[in-house]
Amino acid sequence: MKSNVLKKPLSLCGVLLSLVVAGLAFAASDVDLQQSPEVSATAEGQINMPKQQEKMALNYVNQPPMIPHSIDGYQVTKNTNRCLQCHGVDTYRTTGAPRISPTHFMDSDGKVLGNVAPRRYFCLQCHVPQTDAAPIIGNNFQPMQGFGH
């Protein structure tokens, strides 16, 4: 009688190693922050993001401000950050854009740095383009009292 050949399952370490390698490959690539602001508002699943709009109200204390303009073609890589061309401490006065917050220059220990802290360098980790699109999944979220619409 033939015994069944046991198939060795992929170990947890193998799975984790695969995820780490995939993450490193993604992190090493240049991240292009392309959006689709020119799409039709009637295309299923897509929204029309205006090039510039009024700032939307925040919904809670310390909410990262939303981006009130298109970010089509913006790039944030380890070598360049397009956002800082307008919002940087050396440029905001001439562009009229809001200045990057002083908190973005602090490391995780609260030490003030001369440049944007690495953990705050990739703007879209916290800041998102604003839109009045309906939620993808229904919810009953209400802004904190005194905030929102």
Side-chain angles (χ1 to χ4, degrees):
M1 181 172 195
K2 244 182 176 178
S3 66
N4 289 335
V5 177
L6 295 176
K7 294 184 180 179
K8 188 175 182 181
L10 198 52
S11 71
L12 180 58
C13 290
V15 171
L16 291 175
L17 180 61
S18 298
L19 290 173
V20 168
V21 170
L24 289 174
F26 178 77
S29 68
D30 285 351
V31 178
D32 188 0
L33 304 179
Q34 298 255 348
Q35 297 289 325
S36 299
E38 306 302 323
V39 298
S40 167
T42 60
E44 187 173 333
Q46 303 221 343
I47 57 167
N48 183 20
M49 184 181 299
K51 292 205 178 288
Q52 182 71 37
Q53 55 187 318
E54 293 297 316
K55 292 180 185 176
M56 293 176 107
L58 301 179
N59 293 305
Y60 54 89
V61 176
N62 294 327
Q63 175 185 350
M66 291 181 279
I67 303 167
H69 57 79
S70 170
I71 57 171
D72 185 34
Y74 281 34
Q75 289 189 343
V76 177
T77 68
K78 63 181 180 158
N79 298 319
T80 186
N81 182 328
R82 172 62 178 88
C83 302
L84 295 177
Q85 289 179 8
C86 293
H87 297 277
V89 293
D90 296 330
T91 56
Y92 81 96
R93 286 186 182 110
T94 58
T95 63
R99 177 183 50 86
I100 187 170
S101 169
T103 61
H104 289 53
F105 292 87
M106 292 182 203
D107 67 11
S108 57
D109 296 323
K111 180 182 173 192
V112 177
L113 306 174
N115 292 312
V116 175
R119 68 189 189 126
R120 298 289 184 99
Y121 183 80
F122 294 96
C123 306
L124 291 181
Q125 292 180 133
C126 300
H127 302 277
V128 297
Q130 66 186 25
T131 181
D132 60 0
I136 295 171
I137 299 173
N139 66 71
N140 58 1
F141 174 81
Q142 295 295 317
M144 187 175 214
Q145 190 165 5
F147 289 85
H149 304 283

